[in-house]
Amino acid sequence: MAATSELPPEFIVKIDYDRCRRCKRCVMNCSFGCMHFTDRVVPEHKLCVACQRCVTYCPEHAITVTKNELAYKENANWSPELRKNILKQAETGGILLVGMGNPRDYPILWDHLLIDACQVTNPSIDPLREPMELRTFLGRKPDRLEFVERDDGEIDLATEIEPQVRLDVPVIFGAMSYGAVSLNVHRSLVMAAARSGTLMNTGEGGLHRELYPYAGNVIVQVASGRFGVHSEYLNTSAMVEIKIGQGAKPGIGGHLPGEKVDEDISKTRMIPVGSDAISPAPHHDIYSIEDLSQLIYAIKEATDYEKPVSVKISAVHNVAAIASGIVRAGADVVTIDGFRGGTGAAPMVIRDNVGIPIELALAAVDQRLRDEGIRNNASIICAGGIRSSGDMAKAIALGADAVVIGTAALVAMGCRICQKCYTGNCAWGIATQRPELVRRLDPQVGSARLSNLLTAWSLELKEILGSLGVNSIESLRGSRERLRGVGLDSQTLELLGVKPAGVGQ
Amino acid sequence: MVMRIDCKGLYYRKQNKIIRNAAEEGETEFILDNANGQRYIGSGISKKIKITVNGVPGNDLAMFMNGPTIIVNANAQDGVANTMNAGELIVHGSAGDVIGYGMRGGKLYVQGNVGYRAGIHAKEYKKQVPIIIAGGVAGDFCGEYMAGGILVLLGLNRSEGEPIAGNYLGTGMHGGVIYIRGEVDEYTLGKEVSVLPLDSKDMKVLTKHLKEYCGHFGLDLDEIMAEPFIKLQPVSSRPYGSLYAY
Ligand code: SF4
Ligand code: SF4
């Protein structure tokens, strides 16, 4: 918000002048230009976005940021949000741009699903003392296995296995492009992925040369803008992903604003410094499933059939039929991104009103592929709205091979979900290219925190598996019988393929 | 040594594997006879090989290509030079839709016409500038979203009253340049481009590339340069900068 705008401030920054020792640390830390120093620190409330940076870094804990309670008089119909948006548009005539995922109060189905556990009749397993298998292989699995007997009586596998990618934990870092986020974010993600035996996804902005040595832990994305896509890039990867859609903004393209396109990004994306990086809404060489197939095989040709190819789509009404087409087009992995998935920038009207919940999309896709007998032809990755290991376990039970975390990974690195990613001023050094801000995220620290998160979720997942009495994630995958629904209507339960709580086997 | 491959009835996957493997072992020249729709010829190859295609190659010819020279002695289909990085592609005929999509470098010379969305989202970085020259006319959305590169339309052998480019010429363009030999109607232009006269620098660039182009197709450079050209350039490198509320 501009300081000159007539909008009332959203937040009030309170400074306890008795505690403040005038160190000006808050002035240095606020990247939104909210703090000024005259004879003492004076906040410009209107500029505050409640990113909590100053609050965290004030050595005297002299700062609190609160909501401006009566900025708008109470009205159950006309929420402050609605009035704020109208005022903004009346002042500018522009599309409302937002960062981060859909914040609205739509039902979160994960919170209406509960996991089973063993009691008496079947023993649970203690994961601290017994081995638990979390390894997952992504890629096309054969319809059947054939074996040949060697002369010495040993048996060899005769079936040729398509390329597979091994994950030690079934959690992948979601696609966030270099440009939308800083290089230090990419560094943190890739180092953590390498340490934890999983993958990070470049997003659509290419891969910085410095990260090429981490090829084995990288999914390289090919999006409509084709930024940074060349044969070496495609081959510097564990997997290649064609991005068709993103959960936060299904059906639309993206613009990385010119302010974020500095020298390094210009080089990685191959566009001039300062120009907008425009991703068209569709890939203009894909207008049909046949065209998609053509791009899938173009990538396979360019990578000598050595890498699985994933196709990422947003969760939309017809997601199951689309996913079936994608698998039949030759994709080895389908990534479905739910409507709560994050974004660096999206029009608010799209983010808040388009798409469907990932829980339903995932269940529908898994079921459809099973019904058609092609579930083994592709792995399913579930993205957009995974907040905890509990969500992850439920997603796996609904049929996911692995889950994606984006926002959760950013939060682990310091993000406070202030939703201002599109401004390029991220005070936590994440969604920014301003060198003095980028420096705030130390990749060593960032990657250690990400690895800690994955370690913690792995331990928790093992606890869940143990309580279910199984010792491998494979036994939970697609096992909807181990889920029950609470507070869900019968149609939703049917779509999820889950019985209501209270019903036994 | 030249490796001759008879493509009659040969599946693209097998054909391209033969080329890739032979190139890996040092083969530098290939002649593909009886090509008939095989896709992805030259795709993703980073070696400096030469491929001559006798017959019509399939879609995505030279996709992700990074160095080779390909000569096509027939028409080419859709997706020619898709996301191509380096090398040269000479088509003795016309080419289909979406040629040079996201092209990042190298040259694409088409003797005849090109279809819809030619040069869409071509890019450039410093000295790496892709060049597309078509001798004939182009379909709608030519140069859409161009972020860099040089696209030239010569409009040769047009029938009476045939426009040199379709509608929405240069729409969404925010980098690069389009040179057109002749005039275009104002209403066919995308709103992100403006028409400018060529300066001496433009003439130098254009002459250089056209000289090469004429060499490939046996055309007379002076004759081509005798007609006036116009230049299309984006109005802004940030076409959507003011689209959003704060
Ligand atoms: S640092 Fe963040 S919370 Fe503090 S004043 Fe600035 S914008 Fe507000
Ligand atoms: S990434 Fe930065 S700007 Fe975006 S929500 Fe998190 S803290 Fe705010």
Side-chain angles (χ1 to χ4, degrees):
Chain A
M1 192 197 306
T4 51
S5 160
E6 283 196 354
L7 268 71
E10 238 183 303
F11 306 103
I12 300 293
V13 184
K14 283 196 196 134
I15 295 177
D16 181 343
Y17 290 110
D18 291 339
R19 300 190 72 117
C20 174
R21 57 174 153 99
R22 294 172 161 69
C23 70
K24 298 187 212 164
R25 206 186 267 196
C26 55
V27 181
M28 284 182 321
N29 266 284
C30 180
S31 53
F32 291 90
C34 175
M35 298 293 208
H36 300 284
F37 193 84
T38 45
D39 56 330
R40 57 181 191 170
V41 178
V42 185
E44 172 69 77
H45 301 304
K46 271 189 182 175
L47 296 178
C48 178
V49 303
C51 74
Q52 304 294 333
R53 181 81 191 180
C54 60
V55 177
T56 311
Y57 279 84
C58 172
E60 296 300 324
H61 304 293
I63 307 175
T64 38
V65 177
T66 58
K67 225 162 130 183
N68 186 5
E69 275 302 341
L70 262 187
Y72 300 89
K73 191 178 170 186
E74 275 160 38
N75 186 315
N77 186 28
W78 285 99
S79 68
E81 176 82 9
L82 286 169
R83 279 175 278 173
K84 183 181 81 187
N85 293 342
I86 290 175
L87 288 173
K88 271 191 187 180
Q89 294 192 303
E91 281 183 8
T92 62
I95 295 173
L96 295 164
L97 204 61
V98 283
M100 281 288 146
N102 190 331
R104 292 221 197 156
D105 191 19
Y106 290 102
I108 300 170
L109 299 184
W110 300 130
D111 296 339
H112 292 267
L113 289 170
L114 292 166
I115 305 169
D116 193 18
C118 298
Q119 296 295 298
V120 186
T121 53
N122 46 355
S124 44
I125 301 172
D126 186 343
L128 297 178
R129 271 166 293 279
E130 290 190 43
M132 279 284 166
E133 186 61 87
L134 293 190
R135 259 183 309 181
T136 297
F137 289 87
L138 298 178
R140 178 174 293 254
K141 309 292 186 290
D143 291 337
R144 72 181 73 80
L145 293 178
E146 274 160 24
F147 301 91
V148 283
E149 202 179 329
R150 285 201 313 231
D151 291 343
D152 60 6
E154 290 292 312
I155 284 178
D156 277 343
L157 183 63
T159 313
E160 206 179 303
I161 305 289
E162 301 277 333
Q164 307 284 326
V165 178
R166 181 179 132 174
L167 304 180
D168 291 336
V169 302
V171 188
I172 295 170
F173 297 128
M176 293 175 278
S177 72
Y178 173 43
V181 296
S182 68
L183 185 55
N184 278 350
V185 171
H186 264 205
R187 286 187 179 116
S188 305
L189 290 167
V190 89
M191 280 157 59
R195 198 179 303 143
S196 304
T198 184
L199 307 171
M200 68 85 84
N201 188 318
T202 58
E204 59 178 301
L207 181 68
H208 193 282
R209 288 246 157 221
E210 184 199 305
L211 306 183
Y212 274 38
Y214 291 96
N217 298 95
V218 174
I219 301 173
V220 294
Q221 212 178 51
V222 176
S224 62
R226 303 286 155 86
F227 296 111
V229 179
H230 47 92
S231 52
E232 194 186 356
Y233 166 78
L234 295 174
N235 283 291
T236 308
S237 71
M239 183 154 100
V240 183
E241 180 168 276
I242 300 171
K243 177 196 176 182
I244 301 291
Q246 184 177 340
K249 40 179 172 178
I252 68 163
H255 307 151
L256 181 72
E259 292 97 4
K260 274 181 152 181
V261 181
D262 65 11
E263 184 54 48
D264 247 14
I265 288 170
S266 142
K267 189 171 169 189
T268 309
R269 292 201 176 215
M270 252 198 100
I271 47 163
V273 174
S275 74
D276 281 345
I278 299 174
S279 295
H283 289 247
H284 280 289
D285 51 0
I286 305 178
Y287 288 1
S288 67
I289 288 286
E290 291 76 13
D291 288 350
L292 174 67
S293 183
Q294 186 174 309
L295 182 58
I296 292 172
Y297 282 93
I299 290 168
K300 289 186 183 240
E301 282 277 321
T303 54
D304 213 4
Y305 297 85
E306 280 171 3
K307 325 243 177 224
V309 175
S310 155
V311 175
K312 177 182 174 185
I313 48 168
S314 330
V316 291
H317 300 185
N318 215 10
V319 66
I322 298 164
S324 160
I326 288 170
V327 176
R328 290 172 191 282
D332 306 291
V333 175
V334 186
T335 301
I336 322 161
D337 198 13
F339 84 139
R340 280 180 192 285
T343 175
M348 180 190 278
V349 67
I350 301 286
R351 183 196 67 176
D352 291 359
N353 298 289
V354 179
I356 64 169
I358 187 61
E359 301 90 328
L360 292 166
L362 171 63
V365 169
D366 178 66
Q367 194 55 49
R368 177 74 172 244
L369 299 185
R370 282 168 190 269
D371 291 348
E372 295 186 4
I374 54 172
R375 178 62 183 85
N376 62 302
N377 287 359
S379 302
I380 300 177
I381 298 180
C382 164
I386 300 292
R387 305 158 300 165
S388 65
S389 61
D391 291 355
M392 163 169 70
K394 292 168 191 175
I396 289 166
L398 281 182
D401 287 280
V403 301
V404 161
I405 56 168
T407 307
L410 296 187
V411 171
M413 283 184 279
C415 162
R416 297 300 199 262
I417 316 194
C418 74
Q419 304 166 309
K420 293 291 168 194
C421 323
Y422 62 95
T423 63
N425 293 328
C426 176
W428 295 88
I430 294 170
T432 180
Q433 303 305 330
R434 285 169 55 184
E436 75 280 15
L437 300 179
V438 169
R439 243 181 278 131
R440 292 180 180 182
L441 177 67
D442 177 345
Q444 297 296 340
V445 177
S447 64
R449 295 178 64 93
L450 288 164
S451 288
N452 283 343
L453 182 73
L454 293 188
T455 305
W457 284 23
S458 302
L459 290 170
E460 290 178 341
L461 185 59
K462 288 178 181 175
E463 292 287 344
I464 292 172
L465 293 176
S467 78
L468 283 164
V470 297
N471 56 12
S472 130
I473 190 163
E474 218 41 70
S475 306
L476 176 63
R477 193 159 283 135
S479 182
R480 300 182 196 197
E481 181 51 36
R482 310 305 302 265
L483 293 176
R484 288 293 183 267
V486 281
L488 295 173
D489 59 69
S490 55
Q491 197 169 17
T492 306
L493 286 168
E494 201 185 312
L495 288 167
L496 290 170
V498 167
K499 292 173 185 153
V503 173
Q505 282 194 343
Chain B
M1 263 288 284
V2 181
M3 186 169 187
R4 266 199 118 99
I5 304 170
D6 183 3
C7 300
K8 190 163 191 224
L10 189 60
Y11 188 47
Y12 77 81
R13 194 164 161 179
K14 210 164 150 195
Q15 168 204 284
N16 295 337
K17 185 106 193 148
I18 294 170
I19 299 173
R20 272 201 303 271
N21 289 349
E24 213 47 63
E25 277 159 25
E27 185 61 76
T28 54
E29 210 180 324
F30 299 83
I31 298 177
L32 310 186
D33 292 319
N34 300 315
N36 190 5
Q38 281 88 353
R39 290 179 175 180
Y40 314 122
I41 295 173
S43 285
I45 297 181
S46 292
K47 295 251 178 313
K48 285 230 172 292
I49 57 171
K50 182 177 166 193
I51 306 175
T52 304
V53 185
N54 296 320
V56 180
N59 291 350
D60 284 343
L61 168 70
M63 185 164 189
F64 307 122
M65 190 170 86
N66 189 28
T69 296
I70 300 185
I71 296 157
V72 180
N73 291 317
N75 293 330
Q77 299 191 12
D78 298 340
V80 175
N82 194 337
T83 325
M84 173 172 148
N85 199 49
E88 232 177 278
L89 194 53
I90 299 133
V91 180
H92 292 267
S94 290
D97 296 334
V98 236
I99 62 155
Y101 179 5
M103 199 171 158
R104 306 156 43 89
K107 298 167 187 169
L108 168 55
Y109 295 151
V110 181
Q111 187 172 22
N113 302 333
V114 294
Y116 293 121
R117 296 201 150 94
I120 175 172
H121 221 313
K123 300 176 176 57
E124 68 179 57
Y125 179 72
K126 299 202 168 150
K127 288 212 171 107
Q128 198 179 336
V129 181
I131 295 147
I132 302 173
I133 306 180
V137 299
D140 292 348
F141 296 100
C142 181
E144 185 182 18
Y145 293 117
M146 255 173 87
I150 300 170
L151 199 158
V152 187
L153 295 179
L154 298 179
L156 302 171
N157 306 321
R158 267 184 295 163
S159 47
E160 185 70 25
E162 189 183 2
I164 198 160
N167 292 325
Y168 306 103
L169 176 57
T171 185
M173 197 171 162
H174 54 293
V177 58
I178 302 176
Y179 297 113
I180 292 178
R181 185 172 172 272
E183 294 291 321
V184 289
D185 283 324
E186 185 74 32
Y187 75 88
T188 63
L189 295 180
K191 57 185 182 308
E192 292 82 9
V193 285
S194 56
V195 179
L196 300 164
L198 279 71
D199 57 25
S200 58
K201 221 174 113 203
D202 292 315
M203 288 309 285
K204 223 175 111 193
V205 172
L206 196 57
T207 314
K208 182 179 141 216
H209 296 303
L210 282 177
K211 195 171 160 201
E212 220 184 287
Y213 180 87
C214 289
H216 286 303
F217 300 113
L219 297 167
D220 182 359
L221 179 66
D222 293 337
E223 213 173 282
I224 287 184
M225 296 308 287
E227 292 270 330
F229 279 79
I230 54 163
K231 170 166 86 165
L232 259 55
Q233 254 183 347
V235 186
S236 156
S237 62
R238 309 225 26 218
Y240 307 116
S242 59
L243 193 62
Y244 301 105
Y246 41 78

